[in-house]
Amino acid sequence: MNRFILIAVLLALFATTTSESQDTESAAIMSGTIMEAMVVTITPASDIIWGVEDPQTDEEWQVLDDAAATLMESFEATRKGGGGPNDDAWASEAGFQVYIDQEMVALEQARAAIEARDLDGLFDAGGELYTPCEECHIDYNPAVSGEEF
Ligand code: HEC
């Protein structure tokens, strides 16, 4: 085979593979799926809680409270399943629901700490928030456990 044709064929193959994997990735984040809630809402909102430094003003505390409220809403939605291929099967599992219950307790704790302007309490609640993320991923989606959030 002519070397230039070979290179062209290889490039074409490479381009196909790349665009296929991008399609798969965007398909995995279909709207209304648990995956979408995790990536688009839950991860950035929990990063706000975990990234807390030393809030001073009411506005700074409000950002944290908004993030906690967003997380509660999003976990409540996740509880009901979603449009992803495995979402309803996951949501029907008692163990899955228990992890969401634990997130709710952690978030209640976070909001109480925010209300009381209690930074140490908020750090503790952040730790409580993290454990079910990890454990639910290990039980229901081993491929995603150990991800950096
Ligand atoms: C009740 C179970 C459960 C809890 C709790 C949970 N997740 Fe998830 N998470 C999942 C499942 C299931 C998936 C995989 C969804 C899929 O593949 O369709 C996932 C996927 C993800 C992903 C996408 C990983 C990837 O492959 O790109 C991120 C990021 C994520 N979760 C972050 C979090 C964070 C942060 C928390 C805690 C604040 C959390 N999750 C709590 C069940 C959970």
Side-chain angles (χ1 to χ4, degrees):
M1 200 190 291
N2 175 309
R3 174 189 300 218
F4 293 107
I5 295 178
L6 179 62
I7 290 172
V9 168
L10 287 177
L11 282 174
L13 276 177
F14 178 74
T16 320
T17 330
T18 318
S19 70
E20 258 171 24
S21 64
Q22 276 166 356
D23 286 352
T24 319
E25 208 168 312
S26 47
I29 312 184
M30 293 180 296
S31 89
T33 64
I34 290 179
M35 184 61 128
E36 187 200 27
M38 291 287 155
V39 173
V40 177
T41 311
I42 290 173
T43 299
S46 40
D47 282 343
I48 291 175
I49 307 269
W50 291 326
V52 61
E53 284 180 1
D54 187 15
Q56 300 293 330
T57 63
D58 284 350
E59 288 74 19
E60 287 169 321
W61 284 104
Q62 189 60 48
V63 170
L64 294 160
D65 195 56
D66 290 347
T70 299
L71 282 165
M72 290 181 104
E73 253 173 50
S74 197
F75 276 121
E76 274 304 336
T78 301
R79 205 189 258 306
K80 302 187 184 88
N86 304 309
D87 288 4
D88 292 343
W90 284 322
S92 71
E93 295 269 345
F96 190 91
Q97 296 290 335
V98 168
Y99 290 129
I100 295 183
D101 293 341
Q102 291 172 356
E103 295 294 27
M104 289 304 174
V105 172
L107 289 161
E108 294 282 4
Q109 199 183 318
R111 295 192 78 182
I114 291 164
E115 176 89 51
R117 305 292 190 252
D118 170 8
L119 189 56
D120 285 340
L122 183 56
F123 284 138
D124 289 346
E128 301 291 321
L129 178 69
Y130 181 74
T131 311
C133 309
E134 202 46 23
E135 293 184 350
C136 190
H137 294 160
I138 289 168
D139 283 3
Y140 295 99
N141 204 339
V144 306
S145 62
E147 282 277 330
E148 289 288 325
F149 302 129

